[in-house]
Amino acid sequence: KIAPVVDELGARFDRAGHEIALVGGPVRDILLGRGSKDLDFATSARPDDVQRLLTGWADHVWDIGKDFGTIGCRKGDWVLEITTYRSESYDPTSRKPEVAYGDTLEADLARRDFAMNAMAVLLPSHRFVDPYGGLEDVANKAIRTPGSPEDSFSDDPLRMMRAARFAAQLAFTPDPAVVAAMTAMAERITIVSAERVRDELVKLVCAPYPRIGLDLLVSTGLADHVLPELPALRLELDEHHRHKDVYQHSLTVLDQAIDLEPRLGEEVELPDFVVRFAALIHDIGKPRTRKFEGDGKVTFHHHDVVGAKLARKRMKALRFSNEQIDQVGKLVELHLRFHGYGTGEWTDSAVRRYVRDAGPLLTRLHVLTRADSTTRNRRKADALRAAYDDLEQRIARLQEQEELDAMRPDLDGNQIMEILGI
Ligand code: ATP
Ligand code: MG
């Protein structure tokens, strides 16, 4: 199903004597049976011509990507990006790919990351172009590179992160050769800018199946370079000191946070990276603080404080915004605060302090805390949930009370009696 807006654009370029094709993500997504309002095109036209052809047709045209050959526009609900054919020449030591324009669709497709992203629909003919077997990959849920994965990843190591990201988004499986190349070349990711890595990490964590992508990052060794605190959670379990594997626990908490995410309601746009990432890394202070106490007990003193510090440091290195760093840092810092509730010993002022410290993060803290009770002991889990229900009800009651207090006029008893005629 090709949208009319695509054919309109195709006819317009065709009349002007340019070749244009729908490419990449949208073609893959059509075959997956999912539509998107974002459409990518590749064309033989140079950016100046593209800009001219869009002006007067689209509702709004922008050229921020012009240096990379991309002109964007909006037409109704649709967002279209039209990029001049490329045949990138790479300097493997540079952090940014250099742009060189090409003349053919085939050459443009050859430089794309994966076969499933290297399919095109030529316009206006609707001729399907699939030189690398992308259709078959989509059918088999496979992630393969058009050429050898080693060459592709040394051209742009970010593609290794993208393989994990697409695995998490689509529940596809990277080809064994792709996994092997990722494993062999993991260290090369360090030449990629932190911002590009961060953007792929965010997409991975916000995907429907982040566990798939995270397991790939960890098993290939990519995580050692982009988020080393994650593989560090795989603490060796020994027979004397029994405790949960913190890595598996973290993935479970992330899954549960995703299930609870709808509780965030209208507060934030879903999926919410902050609550998901906080769930994933809430225990990263544990490896550093672990102590064997001799009697078979293991303690992690102040792992919340240490974890918050590590989280902030890592997010800073990945160039996250200060706002996101503060939000995740605070959630990690506060994630243990609820422990100790349920004995009924929290006073009203302790509840108020909890609310005040959480501030605008309160609902996210609710989600994180509930997600973190992963005990397999049913009775214990039920008790935790009941205690948290109780806390939330107390918070609601206190907030109601405070609102009433705020509304109550400053009248003394005599004045009230006078008003009421008593
Ligand atoms: P989505 O937009 O849903 O995240 P997408 O497939 O459109 O997925 P983009 O990151 O928007 O992914 O990239 C658009 C297209 O550009 C891809 O489908 C792919 O063909 C190509 N591409 C993007 N990044 C790279 C890269 N690093 N190396 C090679 N090709 C790339
Ligand atoms: Mg896209």
Side-chain angles (χ1 to χ4, degrees):
K1 263 263 164 77
I2 304 281
V5 68
V6 171
D7 285 325
E8 246 183 75
L9 184 77
R12 204 172 163 82
F13 274 64
D14 189 50
R15 274 198 303 274
H18 302 294
E19 195 175 83
I20 187 165
L22 186 68
V23 286
V27 178
R28 181 198 68 221
D29 290 344
I30 290 171
L31 296 172
L32 283 166
R34 52 174 90 178
S36 160
K37 292 282 171 193
D38 293 342
L39 300 174
D40 297 329
F41 299 84
T43 181
S44 59
R46 295 299 187 252
D48 282 329
D49 294 324
V50 174
Q51 198 165 6
R52 233 188 330 270
L53 280 166
L54 294 179
T55 309
W57 175 76
D59 300 327
H60 177 57
V61 179
W62 54 91
D63 64 358
I64 36 164
K66 198 166 179 177
D67 289 348
F68 304 99
T70 302
I71 305 290
C73 74
R74 188 177 56 73
K75 172 93 172 163
D77 286 346
W78 302 91
V79 175
L80 293 77
E81 298 213 309
I82 294 107
T83 305
T84 302
Y85 287 158
R86 291 198 257 187
S87 62
E88 248 134 330
S89 57
Y90 283 99
D91 169 1
T93 57
S94 105
R95 292 156 70 88
K96 276 197 198 124
E98 235 171 78
V99 180
Y101 295 132
D103 295 313
T104 66
L105 177 62
E106 276 65 27
D108 185 271
L109 295 177
R111 52 154 284 277
R112 290 181 182 259
D113 50 0
F114 303 110
M116 63 177 183
N117 290 340
M119 296 181 280
V121 176
L122 267 168
L123 302 169
S125 66
H126 287 197
R127 186 161 73 80
F128 179 55
V129 184
D130 178 19
Y132 304 103
L135 181 60
E136 206 183 318
D137 285 1
V138 169
N140 297 331
K141 298 179 176 291
I143 300 175
R144 289 183 316 120
T145 47
S148 97
E150 284 80 9
D151 290 348
S152 175
F153 297 161
S154 70
D155 281 348
D156 181 4
L158 185 73
R159 292 172 184 166
M160 299 188 284
M161 289 290 296
R162 289 175 61 86
R165 185 259 277 199
F166 284 116
Q169 284 182 329
L170 306 170
F172 277 27
T173 309
D175 194 70
V178 167
V179 177
M182 286 166 77
T183 308
M185 302 173 67
E187 198 249 299
R188 294 289 300 274
I189 194 67
T190 52
I191 69 161
V192 178
S193 75
E195 289 83 355
R196 294 181 80 207
V197 170
R198 174 202 62 203
D199 289 349
E200 291 300 330
L201 186 65
V202 169
K203 285 183 181 171
L204 188 160
V205 169
C206 290
Y209 317 99
R211 179 191 283 265
I212 297 177
L214 293 165
D215 270 336
L216 255 172
L217 291 185
V218 170
S219 65
T220 55
L222 269 167
D224 293 332
H225 305 286
V226 301
L227 191 58
E229 295 79 9
L230 193 61
L233 292 175
R234 293 171 304 175
L235 301 173
E236 341 68 67
L237 306 172
D238 71 14
E239 49 202 307
H240 307 297
H241 305 101
R242 269 177 294 136
H243 60 85
K244 292 179 286 190
D245 175 52
V246 186
Y247 175 66
Q248 288 306 327
H249 163 74
S250 302
L251 293 183
T252 304
V253 174
L254 171 57
D255 280 340
Q256 300 197 138
I258 292 170
D259 289 342
L260 293 165
E261 217 173 29
R263 283 178 182 248
L264 294 172
E266 312 283 276
E267 269 182 46
V268 292
E269 200 185 311
L270 299 185
D272 179 45
F273 173 76
V274 168
V275 85
R276 288 185 177 205
F277 198 58
L280 176 66
I281 65 172
H282 72 286
D283 272 346
I284 55 171
K286 278 194 168 176
R288 296 261 183 114
T289 55
R290 182 170 63 159
K291 269 218 177 75
F292 298 114
E293 301 291 0
D295 54 348
K297 258 182 75 180
V298 186
T299 59
F300 304 94
H301 273 307
H302 298 302
H303 82 83
D304 46 351
V305 180
V306 173
K309 225 175 177 169
L310 288 171
R312 287 173 191 275
K313 207 170 142 197
R314 176 57 49 201
M315 289 182 78
K316 202 166 173 191
L318 285 168
R319 303 268 195 284
F320 277 95
S321 71
N322 286 334
E323 189 189 17
Q324 286 190 313
I325 295 174
D326 284 343
Q327 290 171 332
V328 173
K330 208 159 163 198
L331 285 171
V332 173
E333 203 171 293
L334 292 176
H335 87 272
L336 289 177
R337 278 284 288 278
F338 173 68
H339 286 223
Y341 192 85
T343 51
E345 278 164 20
W346 276 28
T347 60
D348 278 357
S349 57
V351 175
R352 278 200 198 90
R353 203 176 322 122
Y354 186 78
V355 172
R356 183 164 16 88
D357 290 347
L361 293 171
L362 184 63
T363 316
R364 283 175 168 133
L365 186 59
H366 288 334
V367 168
L368 174 59
T369 306
R370 284 179 182 274
D372 193 18
S373 47
T374 60
T375 168
R376 246 180 272 164
N377 179 333
R378 265 284 279 290
R379 202 178 310 158
K380 219 167 139 188
D382 286 346
L384 272 173
R385 206 169 310 116
Y388 211 84
D389 287 342
D390 182 63
L391 174 62
E392 282 197 72
Q393 279 161 19
R394 276 182 74 186
I395 290 172
R397 272 202 304 276
L398 281 174
Q399 280 173 341
E400 224 169 88
Q401 188 60 49
E402 267 156 32
E403 272 162 37
L404 281 177
D405 288 347
M407 279 191 305
R408 192 164 29 227
D410 280 334
L411 300 175
D412 66 27
N414 287 327
Q415 289 168 301
I416 290 174
M417 285 198 284
E418 204 172 299
I419 290 167
L420 296 177
I422 302 169

